[in-house]
Structure formats: structure tokens, C-alpha cells
Amino acid sequence: MQNVDLIKNEIKTVIDTCDKLIHEEKFDELVNFYTEDAILVIKPGMNANGREQIKSAFIKIASYFDNSIKPVEGKMIYLVAGDTVLVLAQTFLEANQTATENSEFSMERRATYVFRKIDEKWLCAIDNSYGTSLVE
């Protein structure tokens, strides 16, 4: 039987590491936490598919926020089913004042992430910081 608390801690560590890598703009390292076929929702109606597109998207996102973006996670709920975990997260994006004032996107989001365990590592398969607001 799986230890759900251990899995939650492992996923939280991965998310915290990724948030740090985004803030530090270490995108070559960041994409190693994604599956080969991962999907990143860039904005409603626009996705990046695969590690190379995801890396390119994060470079553009960093530029959009004047290279000052810092994701911060709030409350999280983990739904664990074997080697797959759905994370529902309250996510905040911090950036310098000019970047946030000029942004057309919300800086507080209800994100959904899907992780899969591959070769004993938790990797993000779906990174959707917009969560269910995509259906609005």
C-alpha cells in the first residue's frame, strides 16, 4: 500500500523546486521535472507541448513579467491514484509592480497539476495554472 503522506511530501518538494527554478530562470533544469509529452497551459487557448516548447514558453513568460516572476503556492489538495497525482493548488504569481500592473492575467489562480511517477521520479504531465477557469 502506498504512503499517501510521503507522496504528498514528494510532490510538494517537486513543486517548490520548480517554483524556485522558474524564479531563478533555470529553464534547462526546470524542464527535467516535466514528462517528455507534458502540456503547459500558457494562457487560455494556448498550450506548449513537450519539453522544448515548455522551455521556450517559460522564457517568454519570464520576459512578459520583466524577468521578475516568482510563483508561490498557497493551499494544496492532492488526489493520489497509484502513480498519478492530481494537485489542486492556490497559486500566486509575484512580479515587480510594473509587470503586474500591465498584465492582463490574474496573479492569483486556482491551478491544476497532474504528476506521474516515471522511473521512480515524480514528473509533471499537465501544468495548468488556470485550472477550471479554462471552461469559463
Side-chain angles (χ1 to χ4, degrees):
M1 187 168 176
Q2 61 189 354
N3 183 334
V4 174
D5 288 333
L6 177 63
I7 292 170
K8 289 177 181 180
N9 288 335
E10 290 173 348
I11 298 290
K12 175 75 167 101
T13 298
V14 170
I15 291 171
D16 289 345
T17 299
C18 289
D19 286 349
K20 184 175 186 259
L21 292 172
I22 290 167
H23 180 64
E24 294 173 353
E25 298 185 16
K26 294 182 177 177
F27 304 125
D28 286 324
E29 292 177 48
L30 175 68
V31 295
N32 292 324
F33 289 91
Y34 286 86
T35 62
E36 292 288 340
D37 60 349
I39 296 171
L40 168 70
V41 177
I42 300 168
K43 63 181 182 180
M46 181 184 289
N47 299 336
N49 298 289
R51 290 178 174 169
E52 285 305 309
Q53 284 187 17
I54 289 171
K55 177 183 171 184
S56 177
F58 273 115
I59 291 168
K60 290 175 185 169
I61 291 166
S63 176
Y64 178 84
F65 286 103
D66 293 333
N67 300 89
S68 66
I69 192 167
K70 181 180 180 185
V72 177
E73 304 303 326
K75 183 177 179 183
M76 294 185 182
I77 296 172
Y78 304 83
L79 303 174
V80 180
D83 66 351
T84 305
V85 178
L86 171 64
V87 181
L88 308 173
Q90 179 184 32
T91 301
F92 302 94
L93 299 178
E94 297 176 356
N96 71 37
Q97 187 173 0
T98 304
T100 58
E101 286 175 354
N102 295 329
S103 177
E104 62 183 285
F105 303 103
S106 173
M107 300 303 280
E108 180 180 346
R109 301 178 182 181
R110 301 284 190 243
T112 54
Y113 309 115
V114 176
F115 285 84
R116 289 196 323 240
K117 194 164 199 176
I118 299 173
D119 296 329
E120 300 305 310
K121 289 174 50 180
W122 287 105
L123 301 177
C124 186
I126 300 172
D127 183 341
N128 172 16
S129 70
Y130 294 90
T132 59
S133 67
L134 292 179
V135 297
E136 293 176 358

